[in-house]
Amino acid sequence: MTTNDTVPRRIYRFEEIDWHVPVSAGTDPEAAKAAGEKGAGRKFLAQGDGGFYAQVVRIPPNFDAPLHSHSHSEVFMVLEGSCVFDGQPMKERDMTIVSANQAYGFVSGPEGLQFLIVRNGEAAFASVE
């Protein structure tokens, strides 16, 4: 089956995708390495298919993701665990939309956090101080 006459549909099988340390354009490599040592990781799903970029990210318990922004708007949905996102609690299946270049931060809950990100472009990371 295809999505149109020329592009085959792809099924992303979560268990077949490896976790890797989350390093995006603009990310400090040392900060990414330190986060990976604490258990942070991500799995890339769609990477441009139909104009979408999707990934699942896991964050260790009580991890403080510093204030930052991305160059594309995103859907942020909690899959497992919880977090405090810009001062607001979020639990499993809660979702928010973050506009392009809008700064945000979050702290994962005591059980850690796994969330889905969907964007309409490959987003660069920008730290906000």
Side-chain angles (χ1 to χ4, degrees), residues 14 22 24 41-47 52-59 68 70 72-79 85 90 94-98 104 106 113-123:
F14 190 79
S24 300
R42 72 176 170 190
K43 291 188 179 201
F44 282 129
L45 303 171
Q47 293 297 291
F52 292 100
Y53 290 77
Q55 60 186 289
V56 172
V57 181
R58 70 176 180 204
I59 302 291
H68 66 283
H70 297 281
H72 289 275
S73 297
E74 66 184 46
V75 172
F76 181 109
M77 182 177 189
V78 175
L79 300 175
F85 189 100
M90 292 181 72
D94 288 346
M95 186 192 90
T96 190
I97 305 295
V98 181
Y104 70 95
F106 60 89
L113 173 67
Q114 194 170 115
F115 59 95
L116 172 70
I117 294 289
V118 179
R119 298 185 181 110
N120 62 357
E122 190 173 2

Side-chain angles (χ1 to χ4, degrees), residues 1-120:
M1 181 176 278
T2 61
T3 54
N4 66 33
D5 290 341
T6 61
V7 180
R9 181 169 317 187
R10 179 171 176 193
I11 303 296
Y12 291 87
R13 305 210 184 274
F14 190 79
E15 295 303 322
E16 295 174 3
I17 301 169
D18 292 330
W19 289 103
H20 69 278
V21 175
V23 180
S24 300
T27 302
D28 175 1
E30 290 303 312
K33 180 180 176 186
E37 290 169 355
K38 292 179 182 176
R42 72 176 170 190
K43 291 188 179 201
F44 282 129
L45 303 171
Q47 293 297 291
D49 305 27
F52 292 100
Y53 290 77
Q55 60 186 289
V56 172
V57 181
R58 70 176 180 204
I59 302 291
N62 306 308
F63 185 84
D64 189 353
L67 198 60
H68 66 283
S69 66
H70 297 281
S71 56
H72 289 275
S73 297
E74 66 184 46
V75 172
F76 181 109
M77 182 177 189
V78 175
L79 300 175
E80 296 178 9
S82 65
C83 67
V84 175
F85 189 100
D86 282 348
Q88 298 291 316
M90 292 181 72
K91 62 184 184 344
E92 291 179 14
R93 295 181 292 284
D94 288 346
M95 186 192 90
T96 190
I97 305 295
V98 181
S99 296
N101 303 307
Q102 182 181 33
Y104 70 95
F106 60 89
V107 178
S108 61
E111 67 286 353
L113 173 67
Q114 194 170 115
F115 59 95
L116 172 70
I117 294 289
V118 179
R119 298 185 181 110
N120 62 357

